[in-house]
Amino acid sequence: MRILLLSDIHSNLEALEACLAAAPAYDLIVNLGDIVGYGASPNEVVARARELGTQFVRGNHDKAAVGLLELRDFNPVAGLAALWTREQLSQENADWLRALPSGPLKVQGLANVQFVHGSPHDEDEYVVTEEDAILTLQDVAVPLTFLGHTHLQGGFSADSSFRPQYATIGQLETCELKLEDTAYLINPGSVGQPRDGDWRAGFALYDSEAHMITFYRVPYDVRKAQERIVAANLPQRLASRLTAGK
């Protein structure tokens, strides 16, 4: 089975469409959450996500946008964006986001794989460092966990960490990871707001038969996404950070 992994789209329609255009053939899409938040196209992105499939876990920004999460743990910029998103969402899209499951999500035919937003133990937990990963991997229920939340493409195994290496900063590129007989935590990267210093949209494809993960970085129309943010009177920081990939 070939699984297209999308995470942390954050209402960035331009980035999402660029990823879909670059994606190879797949059997199923799994969305790891934070469909909305930060960006200026929440209804358009939710509508597109709903068209693409049925396999989702919710993210913290999805919860915040529909009042399921208090904003006291958000920084001021994120909080303002969440409130703006809450005002913009149609009732239908808000209801859909409110009904998203928390995860871990299991997919039929993939008994040894699970899908979460933050970590298998806490949907809002960040797995950033090797120490974070070791603590999670010590009692993980299945060998392969896909997660989002950090906006950092790559992952961890029981004895190492992995970050894709790319040759350029502006072209479509891929990087492959062959899975060995060990436990993994894998982040496909953020579609809409990468934070690893690379502005390009990130996603991944998991081939369960080949035991291979292919990471992708895709250039997209950043300026148009930024112009939407400015036109919506969202904080300027949300526009400028797209260019920096931070």
Side-chain angles (χ1 to χ4, degrees):
M1 189 180 298
R2 290 164 62 87
I3 308 297
L4 184 64
L5 297 153
L6 304 177
S7 190
D8 298 280
I9 303 169
H10 282 295
S11 298
N12 189 332
L13 183 63
E14 288 71 28
L16 174 59
E17 294 293 2
C19 289
L20 295 173
Y26 58 86
D27 300 305
L28 184 72
I29 292 179
V30 177
N31 191 307
L32 302 180
D34 276 1
I35 297 165
V36 299
Y38 295 132
S41 303
N43 284 304
E44 296 89 339
V45 166
V46 169
R48 194 75 171 98
R50 295 174 67 180
E51 291 173 1
L52 294 169
T54 60
Q55 304 297 317
F56 298 87
V57 293
R58 68 187 183 183
N60 54 312
H61 285 261
D62 302 325
K63 292 189 294 179
V66 295
L68 294 178
L69 182 67
E70 294 186 18
L71 299 179
R72 60 174 176 241
D73 293 331
F74 277 34
N75 65 56
V77 170
L80 285 170
L83 291 173
W84 180 88
T85 301
R86 192 177 298 178
E87 293 173 355
Q88 301 301 313
L89 283 170
S90 69
Q91 188 62 54
E92 180 182 355
N93 285 335
D95 291 343
W96 181 82
L97 285 169
R98 190 174 291 109
L100 289 177
S102 62
L105 171 74
K106 298 299 292 290
V107 171
Q108 187 174 2
L110 295 174
N112 293 323
V113 186
Q114 64 182 352
F115 305 88
V116 302
H117 181 65
S119 85
H121 313 302
D122 182 345
E123 62 182 331
D124 297 329
E125 181 181 17
Y126 287 92
V127 180
V128 178
T129 67
E130 290 189 8
E131 182 179 3
D132 298 333
I134 289 170
L135 292 173
T136 302
L137 288 166
Q138 282 176 348
D139 58 355
V140 72
V142 294
L144 181 56
T145 300
F146 289 104
L147 45 76
H149 201 32
T150 67
H151 301 212
L152 301 173
Q153 191 178 61
F156 304 90
S157 69
D159 55 8
S160 66
S161 61
F162 174 82
R163 292 283 180 264
Q165 300 297 310
Y166 301 106
T168 78
I169 57 172
Q171 299 178 28
L172 169 63
E173 292 187 82
T174 64
C175 183
E176 293 184 338
L177 173 65
K178 179 70 173 179
L179 299 179
E180 306 295 340
D181 187 19
T182 188
Y184 288 91
L185 304 173
I186 299 293
N187 191 318
S190 171
V191 171
Q193 197 191 87
R195 294 179 186 168
D196 53 10
D198 188 333
W199 64 274
R200 294 172 294 180
F203 70 95
L205 183 84
Y206 168 53
D207 188 326
S208 62
E209 294 184 7
H211 302 288
M212 182 76 71
I213 296 169
T214 305
F215 296 93
Y216 286 74
R217 293 313 278 259
V218 183
Y220 71 97
D221 192 343
V222 175
R223 179 171 293 183
K224 187 173 182 180
Q226 291 174 320
E227 288 173 350
R228 288 183 189 266
I229 290 171
V230 172
N233 291 318
L234 283 161
Q236 178 67 35
R237 168 65 176 151
L238 295 176
S240 62
R241 74 185 306 173
L242 294 180
T243 310
K246 295 180 180 180

